[in-house]
């Protein structure tokens, strides 16, 4: 991810010789990457290929797995209770 952001910033800098607005865009991209991108890439750097960084990590024990599964089930029941029309539509789409 870092190489894509850096190469994009380099391209924006090169394009900036014709239009300085691209330099501001490059600075913005680098700022956002340093501000928000490094944290997520640093935490997932050691994990290697696998689930997306936003995906929850594997539980360390069966109890943690059960707790997370039960919590997810409670959220799903609450969603179905509070949004019956939307949940019925999703069930219809899932059945296709």
């Amino acid at each position: 991810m870092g190489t894509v952001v850096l190469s994009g910033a380099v391209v924006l800098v090169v394009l900036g010789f014709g239009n300085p607005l691209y330099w501001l865009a490059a600075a913005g991209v680098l700022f956002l990457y340093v501000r928000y991108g490094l944290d997520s890439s640093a935490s997932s750097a050691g994990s290697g290929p696998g689930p997306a960084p936003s995906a929850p990590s594997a539980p360390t024990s069966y109890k943690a797995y059960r707790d997370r599964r039960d919590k997810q089930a409670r959220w799903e029941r609450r969603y179905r209770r509070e949004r019956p029309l939307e949940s019925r539509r999703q069930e219809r789409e899932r059945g296709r």
Side-chain angles (χ1 to χ4, degrees):
M1 176 70 186
T3 56
V4 172
V5 171
L6 291 177
S7 60
V10 168
V11 167
L12 288 172
V13 167
V14 170
L15 291 174
F17 288 110
N19 184 357
L21 192 60
Y22 287 122
W23 285 339
L24 291 175
V29 165
L30 290 175
F31 171 76
L32 291 174
Y33 177 68
V34 168
R35 175 79 179 194
Y36 300 108
L38 287 178
D39 294 335
S40 64
S41 63
S43 65
S44 66
S47 65
S54 63
S57 62
T60 56
S61 68
Y62 183 68
K63 183 180 182 328
Y65 161 75
R66 259 191 356 245
D67 291 342
R68 197 181 75 227
R69 184 194 61 191
D70 293 344
K71 188 177 194 179
Q72 179 68 29
R74 282 194 303 271
W75 276 105
E76 289 173 359
R77 285 192 300 270
R78 178 179 175 188
Y79 183 85
R80 284 194 304 269
R81 184 176 62 244
E82 292 179 354
R83 297 172 182 86
L85 297 175
E86 180 67 18
S87 61
R88 273 187 241 140
R89 184 189 62 79
Q90 289 175 353
E91 287 296 325
R92 276 195 312 270
E93 288 178 357
R94 202 175 298 145
R96 290 183 187 173

